Amino acid sequence: MKGPLFYAKILLFGEYGIIKDSKGLAIPYNSYKGALKSVSNLTGEAQKSNINLAKFYEYLKNLDTEIVSFDLEKFKEDIDGGMYFDSSIPQGYGVGSSGALVASVYDQYANDKITILENLTRDKLLKLKEIFSSMESFFHGKSSGLDPLNSYLSLPILINSKTNIEPAGIPSQKQGKGAVFLLDSEQVGETEPMVNIFMNKMKNEGFRKMLNEEFVSYTDACIDDFLHGNIKSLFGNVKNLSKVVFAHFKPMIPTAFHKVWEKGIQTNDYYLKLCGSGGGGYILGFTEDYDKAKKSLKDYKLELVYRF
């Protein structure tokens, strides 16, 4: 047995803000992927994954069948038969490892599943997001459902608000100097503690005001600039966003990267922002000159995501 491939995702803009109804823009990232496979003799990572799938099965048994139902017998039979999720997507890196797993389980075992071939109305997209949110909560405690949605559809997705999401056309890549890249912190991040820090900060009126007036408005502006190809304006807004995140989301930035983050803002060689919930994993970088950024960050591992 071998299921179809599901890809990693990158939330270009909207981390934390989408919890509070800002815009968000997520794109598939095809460098990493995963699929359900079976082997008769489970060892190592495959065995760990199989045990995790068995726990996921127990969780799905108790999900509200009004939202989604599964062929649980078949799922259990396949798990007992040595099924595991074979994935190159790094875990705890903010690129949707659990999202790809959720998408593959839904694809394989959901009854009356919404397929990617049908006309995806807004209602169907919201329904999928609700299903994926309830499934992925097994991994994170509270999930928006966006990662699995992105992985399942393999399309860029624009989040206008909690009740308004749509597939997005993003400008095709150019062979210019500019780039979006990933910077490897070489530390694993955990989503739940980071979200808890954010929720505690939200109790502070000053933080809420900053979120609405600065963080959300820069995020929304970045998305509009990116989708319309306004590159000059985009970098101005990304710089402002990078400053706001550095000032107000410090606990989510690994300590070893505080100076690197500041250096980008001071030199304009690159600007950094959180990739997912932060706390480790990847940090997302934007630069008008990728060669210059590579030189400036020569001690770190970078991965190219998109060219301007």
Side-chain angles (χ1 to χ4, degrees):
M1 178 205 130
K2 182 169 172 358
L5 284 172
F6 289 94
Y7 295 107
K9 75 87 196 54
I10 291 173
L11 185 62
L12 279 185
F13 300 104
E15 71 291 343
Y16 291 108
I18 54 172
I19 299 176
K20 291 289 143 215
D21 244 12
S22 79
K23 283 187 176 180
L25 180 65
I27 59 170
Y29 184 49
N30 299 357
S31 296
Y32 296 119
K33 47 198 167 295
L36 288 169
K37 290 185 184 173
S38 284
V39 286
S40 49
N41 185 18
L42 285 163
T43 55
E45 287 301 314
Q47 191 169 21
K48 260 197 252 173
S49 171
N50 176 265
I51 292 164
N52 207 19
L53 281 175
K55 289 179 187 161
F56 192 35
Y57 160 79
E58 291 298 331
Y59 173 81
L60 294 182
K61 276 202 312 200
N62 299 312
L63 266 196
D64 183 352
T65 49
E66 293 285 299
I67 297 174
V68 61
S69 73
F70 299 92
D71 184 346
L72 289 167
E73 266 177 50
K74 178 85 180 91
F75 189 30
K76 179 82 170 81
E77 191 184 302
D78 289 343
I79 292 166
D80 293 344
M83 183 170 72
Y84 68 103
F85 190 58
D86 183 24
S87 170
S88 65
I89 307 169
Q91 291 185 1
Y93 261 65
V95 286
S97 56
S98 58
L101 169 57
V102 165
S104 59
V105 169
Y106 175 82
D107 181 67
Q108 203 86 355
Y109 300 102
N111 298 320
D112 308 319
K113 72 175 180 184
I114 297 167
T115 72
I116 50 178
L117 300 172
E118 57 197 272
N119 178 19
L120 288 167
T121 60
R122 186 180 294 174
D123 285 350
K124 282 182 188 167
L125 283 172
L126 285 173
K127 178 76 182 155
L128 272 173
K129 186 171 174 287
E130 181 192 16
I131 289 166
F132 289 145
S133 169
S134 63
M135 289 174 73
E136 202 188 25
S137 292
F138 167 73
F139 298 95
H140 295 318
K142 184 175 177 5
S143 159
S144 69
L146 198 64
D147 288 7
L149 183 65
N150 199 274
S151 195
Y152 185 63
L153 300 177
S154 217
L155 291 168
I157 291 169
L158 173 63
I159 304 101
N160 293 303
S161 69
K162 282 196 180 85
T163 53
N164 181 355
I165 51 176
E166 57 187 321
I170 63 170
S172 53
Q173 300 198 46
K174 304 198 169 41
Q175 288 313 308
K177 281 181 160 185
V180 180
F181 61 89
L182 294 173
L183 166 62
D184 189 348
S185 75
E186 301 193 44
Q187 307 173 27
V188 171
E190 283 187 50
T191 301
E192 210 166 335
M194 294 298 124
V195 173
N196 290 341
I197 291 169
F198 175 75
M199 289 309 195
N200 278 329
K201 280 176 168 287
M202 284 300 290
K203 292 171 186 165
N204 176 314
E205 195 187 331
F207 185 82
R208 289 200 303 272
K209 192 168 186 283
M210 173 283 303
L211 198 78
N212 288 326
E213 290 175 9
E214 297 178 59
F215 185 83
V216 168
S217 59
Y218 288 137
T219 296
D220 291 359
C222 285
I223 291 170
D224 289 340
D225 287 341
F226 185 85
L227 292 177
H228 295 108
N230 303 329
I231 303 307
K232 198 100 200 98
S233 172
L234 172 68
F235 279 99
N237 282 314
V238 170
K239 181 177 184 173
N240 285 329
L241 188 57
S242 184
K243 283 183 186 167
V244 168
V245 172
F246 190 68
H248 300 282
F249 289 79
K250 268 224 181 78
M252 288 77 163
I253 302 168
T255 314
F257 287 84
H258 286 184
K259 284 204 161 42
V260 181
W261 197 290
E262 257 186 317
K263 182 186 166 189
I265 294 166
Q266 284 159 1
T267 61
N268 297 315
D269 288 353
Y270 56 85
Y271 306 121
L272 300 179
K273 62 183 291 299
L274 296 173
C275 180
S277 56
Y282 287 120
I283 294 165
L284 202 52
F286 286 73
T287 178
E288 292 186 81
D289 186 335
Y290 190 47
D291 289 335
K292 197 190 266 185
K294 277 195 292 196
K295 220 171 268 171
S296 197
L297 295 163
K298 65 181 187 310
D299 300 333
Y300 301 95
K301 282 194 231 162
L302 307 186
E303 288 177 39
L304 185 65
V305 172
Y306 184 93
R307 295 286 329 217
F308 294 111

